[in-house]
Amino acid sequence: MSDPRIIGYLNRAVAHELSAVQQYLTQARLTALWGMDSLSRALRQEADEELAHADRFITRLLFHGAVPGGGPLAPVRVGRTVVELLLHNRDMEADAVRIYEEAADYCRRRGATEDAELFASIMQDEIAHLRDLEQQLYDSGDGDQHG
Ligand SMILES: [Fe+2]
Ligand SMILES: [Fe+2]
């Protein structure tokens, strides 16, 4: 029988990824309204990438004989400026890194190698997102940037 705590981490991961999809889709549409087409396209691409992460976690849940529990999604965070959006996204990506690191450690301790590898692999993607956001914040000078 699968470890219920691993199923719990996978469910939490699916909810996190779908929350990220919702946030990036919303921000993509918002920045399009601000006339910032290239940022809008980049945010839309992020949404697609997070959807692919959700897909991988759902695949793993099915392997364990489970389906997503359908927990609540996090509220969407937007902002009045690009910097505000970036700061919200940085927090969200940092949360993902924290959750997946904890999950990978737990799975490794339990000898659940494939689960550990999945969490570690997606954590690497989230670390890349985090670095990218930090670079964008640095480039923006953290100043006020309206659309
Ligand atoms: Fe993700
Ligand atoms: Fe991400």
Side-chain angles (χ1 to χ4, degrees), residues 16-17 20 24 46 49-50 53 89 92-93 96 100 122 125-127 129-130 133:
H16 180 88
E17 296 296 341
Y24 283 129
E46 290 296 327
E49 200 174 327
E50 307 297 7
H53 288 166
N89 296 346
M92 185 176 70
E93 298 291 352
Y100 300 161
I122 294 182
D125 289 348
E126 312 299 10
I127 288 171
H129 292 166
L130 196 54
L133 284 159

mmCIF file of all heavy atoms in Angstrom, residues 16-17 20 24 46 49-50 53 89 92-93 96 100 122 125-127 129-130 133, ligand 2:
data_model
loop_
_atom_site.group_PDB
_atom_site.id
_atom_site.type_symbol
_atom_site.label_atom_id
_atom_site.label_comp_id
_atom_site.label_asym_id
_atom_site.label_seq_id
_atom_site.Cartn_x
_atom_site.Cartn_y
_atom_site.Cartn_z
ATOM 1 N N HIS A 16 -0.958 22.999 -5.735
ATOM 2 C CA HIS A 16 -0.036 24.130 -5.914
ATOM 3 C C HIS A 16 0.142 24.460 -7.398
ATOM 4 O O HIS A 16 0.098 25.628 -7.798
ATOM 5 C CB HIS A 16 1.328 23.849 -5.278
ATOM 6 C CG HIS A 16 2.264 24.993 -5.469
ATOM 7 N ND1 HIS A 16 2.323 26.049 -4.587
ATOM 8 C CD2 HIS A 16 3.079 25.311 -6.496
ATOM 9 C CE1 HIS A 16 3.166 26.951 -5.064
ATOM 10 N NE2 HIS A 16 3.642 26.521 -6.209
ATOM 11 N N GLU A 17 0.334 23.434 -8.214
ATOM 12 C CA GLU A 17 0.567 23.665 -9.652
ATOM 13 C C GLU A 17 -0.662 24.266 -10.323
ATOM 14 O O GLU A 17 -0.540 25.171 -11.150
ATOM 15 C CB GLU A 17 0.959 22.350 -10.348
ATOM 16 C CG GLU A 17 2.273 21.763 -9.869
ATOM 17 C CD GLU A 17 3.486 22.642 -10.154
ATOM 18 O OE1 GLU A 17 3.404 23.530 -11.021
ATOM 19 O OE2 GLU A 17 4.511 22.445 -9.488
ATOM 20 N N ALA A 20 -0.871 27.795 -9.481
ATOM 21 C CA ALA A 20 0.099 28.565 -10.268
ATOM 22 C C ALA A 20 -0.433 28.787 -11.687
ATOM 23 O O ALA A 20 -0.295 29.879 -12.249
ATOM 24 C CB ALA A 20 1.445 27.844 -10.287
ATOM 25 N N TYR A 24 -0.859 32.498 -13.212
ATOM 26 C CA TYR A 24 -0.146 32.948 -14.411
ATOM 27 C C TYR A 24 -1.112 33.260 -15.561
ATOM 28 O O TYR A 24 -0.891 34.200 -16.322
ATOM 29 C CB TYR A 24 0.898 31.915 -14.839
ATOM 30 C CG TYR A 24 2.150 31.932 -13.977
ATOM 31 C CD1 TYR A 24 2.664 30.773 -13.406
ATOM 32 C CD2 TYR A 24 2.844 33.121 -13.742
ATOM 33 C CE1 TYR A 24 3.820 30.792 -12.629
ATOM 34 C CE2 TYR A 24 3.998 33.155 -12.964
ATOM 35 C CZ TYR A 24 4.475 31.984 -12.404
ATOM 36 O OH TYR A 24 5.611 32.011 -11.641
ATOM 37 N N GLU A 46 4.535 30.394 -18.817
ATOM 38 C CA GLU A 46 4.700 29.875 -17.443
ATOM 39 C C GLU A 46 3.499 29.020 -17.074
ATOM 40 O O GLU A 46 3.643 27.954 -16.469
ATOM 41 C CB GLU A 46 4.818 31.018 -16.430
ATOM 42 C CG GLU A 46 6.112 31.814 -16.501
ATOM 43 C CD GLU A 46 7.346 30.980 -16.166
ATOM 44 O OE1 GLU A 46 7.231 30.065 -15.325
ATOM 45 O OE2 GLU A 46 8.387 31.229 -16.763
ATOM 46 N N GLU A 49 3.807 25.703 -18.519
ATOM 47 C CA GLU A 49 4.826 24.881 -17.851
ATOM 48 C C GLU A 49 4.298 24.325 -16.525
ATOM 49 O O GLU A 49 4.538 23.167 -16.182
ATOM 50 C CB GLU A 49 6.094 25.710 -17.630
ATOM 51 C CG GLU A 49 7.288 24.821 -17.410
ATOM 52 C CD GLU A 49 8.610 25.577 -17.319
ATOM 53 O OE1 GLU A 49 8.752 26.616 -18.002
ATOM 54 O OE2 GLU A 49 9.464 25.150 -16.546
ATOM 55 N N GLU A 50 3.562 25.152 -15.789
ATOM 56 C CA GLU A 50 3.005 24.676 -14.507
ATOM 57 C C GLU A 50 1.936 23.599 -14.759
ATOM 58 O O GLU A 50 1.804 22.659 -13.973
ATOM 59 C CB GLU A 50 2.410 25.842 -13.699
ATOM 60 C CG GLU A 50 3.341 27.039 -13.466
ATOM 61 C CD GLU A 50 4.604 26.764 -12.655
ATOM 62 O OE1 GLU A 50 4.878 25.592 -12.335
ATOM 63 O OE2 GLU A 50 5.315 27.727 -12.344
ATOM 64 N N HIS A 53 3.637 20.442 -15.098
ATOM 65 C CA HIS A 53 4.009 19.910 -13.776
ATOM 66 C C HIS A 53 2.811 19.214 -13.124
ATOM 67 O O HIS A 53 2.957 18.117 -12.572
ATOM 68 C CB HIS A 53 4.471 21.044 -12.846
ATOM 69 C CG HIS A 53 5.808 21.603 -13.199
ATOM 70 N ND1 HIS A 53 6.273 22.793 -12.668
ATOM 71 C CD2 HIS A 53 6.786 21.144 -14.010
ATOM 72 C CE1 HIS A 53 7.491 23.028 -13.144
ATOM 73 N NE2 HIS A 53 7.812 22.054 -13.963
ATOM 74 N N ASN A 89 4.808 36.333 -7.575
ATOM 75 C CA ASN A 89 5.228 35.098 -8.235
ATOM 76 C C ASN A 89 6.476 34.522 -7.571
ATOM 77 O O ASN A 89 6.611 33.304 -7.444
ATOM 78 C CB ASN A 89 5.452 35.356 -9.729
ATOM 79 C CG ASN A 89 4.150 35.743 -10.412
ATOM 80 O OD1 ASN A 89 3.069 35.567 -9.843
ATOM 81 N ND2 ASN A 89 4.239 36.286 -11.613
ATOM 82 N N MET A 92 5.336 32.658 -4.591
ATOM 83 C CA MET A 92 4.692 31.401 -4.976
ATOM 84 C C MET A 92 5.736 30.357 -5.378
ATOM 85 O O MET A 92 5.643 29.188 -4.970
ATOM 86 C CB MET A 92 3.723 31.681 -6.139
ATOM 87 C CG MET A 92 2.914 30.486 -6.559
ATOM 88 S SD MET A 92 1.720 30.924 -7.836
ATOM 89 C CE MET A 92 2.816 31.218 -9.228
ATOM 90 N N GLU A 93 6.732 30.764 -6.135
ATOM 91 C CA GLU A 93 7.764 29.806 -6.561
ATOM 92 C C GLU A 93 8.608 29.357 -5.363
ATOM 93 O O GLU A 93 9.013 28.191 -5.286
ATOM 94 C CB GLU A 93 8.657 30.422 -7.648
ATOM 95 C CG GLU A 93 7.919 30.789 -8.936
ATOM 96 C CD GLU A 93 7.432 29.580 -9.729
ATOM 97 O OE1 GLU A 93 7.785 28.438 -9.385
ATOM 98 O OE2 GLU A 93 6.674 29.784 -10.691
ATOM 99 N N ALA A 96 6.814 26.662 -3.631
ATOM 100 C CA ALA A 96 6.928 25.393 -4.364
ATOM 101 C C ALA A 96 8.254 24.725 -4.035
ATOM 102 O O ALA A 96 8.297 23.523 -3.740
ATOM 103 C CB ALA A 96 6.803 25.639 -5.873
ATOM 104 N N TYR A 100 8.498 21.037 -2.285
ATOM 105 C CA TYR A 100 9.051 19.913 -3.043
ATOM 106 C C TYR A 100 10.349 19.413 -2.418
ATOM 107 O O TYR A 100 10.657 18.227 -2.498
ATOM 108 C CB TYR A 100 9.243 20.291 -4.516
ATOM 109 C CG TYR A 100 7.935 20.678 -5.182
ATOM 110 C CD1 TYR A 100 7.895 21.415 -6.350
ATOM 111 C CD2 TYR A 100 6.713 20.300 -4.603
ATOM 112 C CE1 TYR A 100 6.690 21.770 -6.937
ATOM 113 C CE2 TYR A 100 5.509 20.661 -5.182
ATOM 114 C CZ TYR A 100 5.500 21.402 -6.349
ATOM 115 O OH TYR A 100 4.308 21.764 -6.924
ATOM 116 N N ILE A 122 11.072 18.430 -10.440
ATOM 117 C CA ILE A 122 10.204 19.605 -10.581
ATOM 118 C C ILE A 122 10.727 20.747 -9.706
ATOM 119 O O ILE A 122 10.644 21.914 -10.088
ATOM 120 C CB ILE A 122 8.737 19.221 -10.322
ATOM 121 C CG1 ILE A 122 8.310 18.262 -11.449
ATOM 122 C CG2 ILE A 122 7.834 20.463 -10.272
ATOM 123 C CD1 ILE A 122 6.898 17.781 -11.422
ATOM 124 N N ASP A 125 13.026 22.824 -11.707
ATOM 125 C CA ASP A 125 12.312 23.774 -12.585
ATOM 126 C C ASP A 125 11.868 25.001 -11.800
ATOM 127 O O ASP A 125 11.954 26.133 -12.284
ATOM 128 C CB ASP A 125 11.062 23.127 -13.198
ATOM 129 C CG ASP A 125 11.399 22.073 -14.244
ATOM 130 O OD1 ASP A 125 12.575 21.996 -14.663
ATOM 131 O OD2 ASP A 125 10.475 21.333 -14.651
ATOM 132 N N GLU A 126 11.376 24.773 -10.567
ATOM 133 C CA GLU A 126 10.873 25.902 -9.761
ATOM 134 C C GLU A 126 12.033 26.796 -9.312
ATOM 135 O O GLU A 126 11.886 28.023 -9.238
ATOM 136 C CB GLU A 126 10.084 25.422 -8.541
ATOM 137 C CG GLU A 126 9.027 24.350 -8.801
ATOM 138 C CD GLU A 126 7.904 24.728 -9.755
ATOM 139 O OE1 GLU A 126 7.967 25.785 -10.421
ATOM 140 O OE2 GLU A 126 6.947 23.930 -9.845
ATOM 141 N N ILE A 127 13.194 26.170 -9.059
ATOM 142 C CA ILE A 127 14.375 26.973 -8.718
ATOM 143 C C ILE A 127 14.744 27.861 -9.909
ATOM 144 O O ILE A 127 15.082 29.037 -9.746
ATOM 145 C CB ILE A 127 15.552 26.060 -8.289
ATOM 146 C CG1 ILE A 127 15.264 25.469 -6.898
ATOM 147 C CG2 ILE A 127 16.870 26.830 -8.281
ATOM 148 C CD1 ILE A 127 16.240 24.397 -6.449
ATOM 149 N N HIS A 129 12.635 28.980 -12.143
ATOM 150 C CA HIS A 129 11.628 30.049 -12.185
ATOM 151 C C HIS A 129 11.983 31.152 -11.183
ATOM 152 O O HIS A 129 11.863 32.341 -11.472
ATOM 153 C CB HIS A 129 10.228 29.515 -11.820
ATOM 154 C CG HIS A 129 9.666 28.570 -12.836
ATOM 155 N ND1 HIS A 129 8.569 27.777 -12.574
ATOM 156 C CD2 HIS A 129 10.039 28.296 -14.107
ATOM 157 C CE1 HIS A 129 8.295 27.049 -13.651
ATOM 158 N NE2 HIS A 129 9.174 27.340 -14.584
ATOM 159 N N LEU A 130 12.390 30.690 -9.989
ATOM 160 C CA LEU A 130 12.724 31.634 -8.920
ATOM 161 C C LEU A 130 13.890 32.522 -9.336
ATOM 162 O O LEU A 130 13.854 33.748 -9.172
ATOM 163 C CB LEU A 130 13.068 30.808 -7.676
ATOM 164 C CG LEU A 130 13.104 31.493 -6.333
ATOM 165 C CD1 LEU A 130 11.812 32.229 -6.048
ATOM 166 C CD2 LEU A 130 13.366 30.447 -5.235
ATOM 167 N N LEU A 133 12.799 35.051 -11.875
ATOM 168 C CA LEU A 133 12.030 36.143 -11.269
ATOM 169 C C LEU A 133 12.962 37.108 -10.540
ATOM 170 O O LEU A 133 12.780 38.328 -10.598
ATOM 171 C CB LEU A 133 10.989 35.582 -10.303
ATOM 172 C CG LEU A 133 9.773 34.982 -11.016
ATOM 173 C CD1 LEU A 133 9.033 34.019 -10.109
ATOM 174 C CD2 LEU A 133 8.849 36.090 -11.505
HETATM 175 FE FE FE B 2 7.030 27.444 -11.155
#
